[in-house]
Amino acid sequence: MNAYWELTKSSFRRHSTYRLAAVSGAFTNSVFGLIRASLLLSAISTAGGSIGGYSAVEAATYVWLGQALLTPLGLFGSAEIAERVKSGDIAVDLTRSVNLTASYWAQDLGRAAFDVLPRGLPPLVIGAIVTGLSLPTTAGPYALGFISIIAAMTLNFLGFFIINLLAFWVVEIRGYWMLYLVLMNLLSGFLVPVSWFPQWMLDFARATPFPSMLQTPVDILAGRTDVVESLALVGTQLLWLAVLLTGAHLMVRFGSRKLVVQGG
Amino acid sequence: MIIEAEQLSRNFTVAEAGEGRGWNRLRRRSRTIHAVRDVSFTVERGEAVGYIGANGAGKSTTIKMLTGILVPSSGRVTVCGLQPVPQRQALARKIGVVFGQRSQLWWDLPLQDSFPILGAMHRQPESRWRPRFSELSEQMGLGPFLTSPVRQLSLGQRMRGEVAAALLHRPELVILDEPTIGLDMISKESLRRFLDFERREHGTTLLLTTHDMSDVQRLCQRILVVDDGVIAFDGPLTGLSEVAEARRTMVIDFVAPLDGAGLVLPPGAEHLGAEAEGIRHRIAFDPRLLSAAALLAAVSTSAEVADLSLHEPDIEDLVRQLYTSAR
Amino acid sequence: MAEIEALDSTWVTNAKLLRLLISARLRSQTAYRGSFAADVAGQVVLALTEFVELYAILHNIPTFGGLTFAQALLVFAFASIGFSIGDLLLGETDSMSDAIRMGKLEVLLTRPLPVLLQLMTSDFQLRRVGRLAFALLAMAAALFLTDIDWDPGKVVLFIITPLAGAAIFGALFVGAGASQFWLVDGRQFGNAFTYGGRYVASMPGAALFLPMQVFFTFVVPATLVAYAPSLVLLELEGPAGIPSWTGWLGLPAAVVLWGLMLLLWRAAIKKYTGAGG
């Protein structure tokens, strides 16, 4: 247990040295937030007050929370692990006494923990000034929201982890990575709230783990869902967590077996 | 004079991570490093000069200032009659540069495909670069792997390609930064033979940095030794090669422990000591008086040899020895 | 004879050099076939989700920023064509910080060609044609669905708009690449203007907050890429920040922006040779 905690801490420290990256990321997330908030508010005013259950201020809150959580939740992932698989360095990771998935997750947690403040706060402050935010005044949504954020961050980690592990079997994962990223960005409700989708797309999105990766924590944090709904949503997240975890576990097992057979 | 450097200096400001804990760690301070200090030297046309020094002594910084990648902090430098940074592109047509650690070939393409592009970059018509390419390809034996993608070449094959690429436009001056690093003996040797031929045949000036004593011995008549940013020695190679050739070490592992005194050593060899309870012995010898084979033959008469290795003197030690004695 | 040819620097024409450089790049790209196909597919899907985003908004409302679905599609198509061409040519300046870190820039600096030209051709990303293909398809659909009252002026505008758009995005990419010489870890900063610009360009400009309309028209000319010329083609009035006369400003804006971004680029190279990576 201690080893994972150390990994988390060292990852936090490593990311804390990239301050310029954090500042420029916060800037860019804020600019995108302004654009997205404009667009959604304009659409809502045309629609006469609300779309898909979102009023103007609720849609703005949705946008700004999304922009704030985007990087901490790890919506853009990385291809670092695939590089290690390709170079064979993953063999070194596998010989360690720690669980591969858990050790990478611990590092991602450290990254997320650092990213929360410098990348998350600026968009929220700008949002509060420009459009106003509608945040819950009771503690419940924040507590459940926190759990949901951890779950969503873990889901995002697992999703990209699985894509990275494809490198055990294919030469170049960039195409798959790109496809995954693009679909996930759309279906997670990052671009527009899932409830704005036409019915067929909504049904499709809900059959995937993607809404659990962003839409769920944002809705819970914004207090859009009552306790029962929130618990159900977190339950859905946990269900997907079990599915993806199993998938990742199987891939590590068969992938490392392949590594042994081929000698890296 | 093809290179003229006068009181060349270069400073860098580097940021350092702050000390302490928590948010204090995030504060950084900066420090100025004097990578090159008041370096003056000239290189005549047709010379072959070895530029030698330890890692971080300022070799690469000097090379960057000569090739137009870096502006000197102070001092003056002229290469081929041009000022490197302001006249970078004009200079690039007169010089060839090989970075041992970086590639200028097109990674995913067959080796031969890089040359038409480089020829065009140097504004040479095919009638001019093609014969040169054939010449280079023949001399360096590129033939067998011309159609292989560069990424699939061995390091030795790739370096030969890199050197051919740098020489395609018949540069007056070729600057090589660690050209033989990581190469096997055969590749090193063919590269050296080629560079030497190129200089004799075309009068091309060579300036190379290296860690390998044999590079300098084979190619250079003159060495410049840089130490901690200043030129520590500038002169002919003769002195250095004497020191360098004077001593080589053979490390021999015997099957059974042996007393050093029991070894029969021919003239020119000296027993330096034993390790591992008499299994491993170190013997210095002068290769001008005694070949390694003769030494081994002599030693084998005393006891059964299990393993051996040959060690050349460390270039930095030699250099230091040399310039301290020159002072 | 050979000597005389060598002296004439125009003997090897720029066009020939450019052709050689680009064809080399194309062959590199297609070297790994399977992955290349997946890449192209990824780019098509990317373009598709950008479209779906617009669709997801518009299926809830009759008009968005004053435009019907077909009209918004025209804007989207112009923006996508312009962006994908700009991205195709100069999108790799986005990874300038990697080229700096890995020393690739040093090799480029020892060659007798401008670095920017080498960068353009050495990283010409063919997979990005996937996006262009989708954009052209969207344009065909938009032309079929909208009712444009064509006249010679509009035809001219229709032709220059994608070119101006490509030039504007190309210039933004150059600027973003140049900014990474100062902000080596801060490459995301430039994305606010390149990808952010694409985002704005593909949406009806009237849907933006007024200050953003002004900013993305007169500072970062993203609305001039697609929305403003579409207003002219469709004979619509623009919002306060983007009057419809700006529809003809795309080309001049591209020229001005290129001038500025090239100055920035030169300063960036100067910074590199001055400070040394």
Side-chain angles (χ1 to χ4, degrees), chain B residues 71-106:
Chain B
V71 187
S73 302
S74 66
R76 233 170 43 82
V77 59
T78 320
V79 180
C80 300
L82 300 168
Q83 294 185 317
V85 171
Q87 294 170 295
R88 196 185 71 235
Q89 287 184 42
L91 180 65
R93 297 169 75 160
K94 296 188 167 203
I95 64 172
V97 185
V98 177
F99 293 113
Q101 317 269 41
R102 318 201 193 299
S103 179
Q104 67 154 322
L105 300 167
W106 273 254

Side-chain angles (χ1 to χ4, degrees), chain A residues 29 37 40 60 62 83 122 132 143 203 207 245 249:
Chain A
N29 286 350
L40 297 196
Y62 161 84
E83 292 299 323
D203 294 341
L245 203 57
H249 178 73

Side-chain angles (χ1 to χ4, degrees), chain C:
Chain C
M1 186 62 204
E3 292 301 324
I4 298 168
E5 287 166 0
L7 288 175
D8 181 8
S9 68
T10 54
W11 184 264
V12 177
T13 60
N14 290 329
K16 185 181 173 198
L17 176 57
L18 215 62
R19 209 180 56 230
L20 267 171
L21 286 168
I22 291 175
S23 83
R25 191 58 202 164
L26 297 190
R27 276 174 291 143
S28 306
Q29 300 262 311
T30 46
Y32 313 84
R33 260 167 221 293
S35 164
F36 179 71
D39 273 352
V40 173
Q43 290 287 324
V44 173
V45 176
L46 174 64
L48 187 71
T49 58
E50 283 164 1
F51 166 74
V52 169
E53 181 184 3
L54 184 65
Y55 171 71
I57 295 174
L58 261 158
H59 101 102
N60 288 298
I61 43 178
T63 63
F64 182 31
L67 301 187
T68 64
F69 175 72
Q71 291 168 334
L73 187 61
L74 181 69
V75 174
F76 173 83
F78 269 135
S80 290
I81 294 173
F83 182 82
S84 49
I85 298 174
D87 188 34
L88 190 67
L89 292 174
L90 286 150
E92 279 308 298
T93 53
D94 194 33
S95 54
M96 200 60 231
S97 56
D98 289 338
I100 295 170
R101 258 196 291 257
M102 306 197 323
K104 197 172 124 195
L105 186 61
E106 288 176 5
V107 174
L108 302 186
L109 281 169
T110 56
R111 287 181 182 157
L113 274 188
V115 173
L116 195 56
L117 187 70
Q118 295 185 58
L119 219 56
M120 255 174 99
T121 49
S122 75
D123 281 309
F124 188 86
Q125 296 288 338
L126 190 63
R127 66 190 143 95
R128 292 180 171 135
V129 296
R131 204 169 187 164
L132 181 61
F134 184 85
L136 290 171
L137 211 67
M139 178 53 85
L143 289 181
F144 180 73
L145 293 172
T146 49
D147 228 354
I148 297 174
D149 199 4
W150 293 101
D151 62 43
K154 286 184 183 172
V155 172
V156 170
L157 186 62
F158 178 78
I159 293 167
I160 60 172
T161 293
L163 301 178
I168 287 172
F169 283 119
L172 290 175
F173 273 117
V174 170
S179 74
Q180 292 179 25
F181 281 79
W182 285 273
L183 313 170
V184 177
D185 290 329
R187 68 152 65 165
Q188 272 199 318
F189 174 77
N191 291 354
F193 305 105
T194 53
Y195 296 100
R198 183 212 67 78
Y199 192 23
V200 167
S202 64
M203 293 287 172
L208 296 171
F209 298 138
L210 181 62
M212 297 184 65
Q213 290 177 6
V214 175
F215 178 81
F216 278 109
T217 303
F218 297 100
V219 183
V220 173
T223 62
L224 301 184
V225 167
Y227 177 67
S230 297
L231 290 177
V232 175
L233 293 180
L234 299 166
E235 295 177 22
L236 297 172
E237 285 299 311
I242 317 167
S244 58
W245 53 263
T246 57
W248 286 91
L249 285 185
L251 208 52
V255 172
V256 172
L257 197 63
W258 261 99
L260 292 172
M261 294 302 120
L262 283 178
L263 283 178
L264 187 65
W265 180 261
R266 271 180 65 178
I269 294 286
K270 211 166 195 166
K271 191 237 167 218
Y272 182 80
T273 54

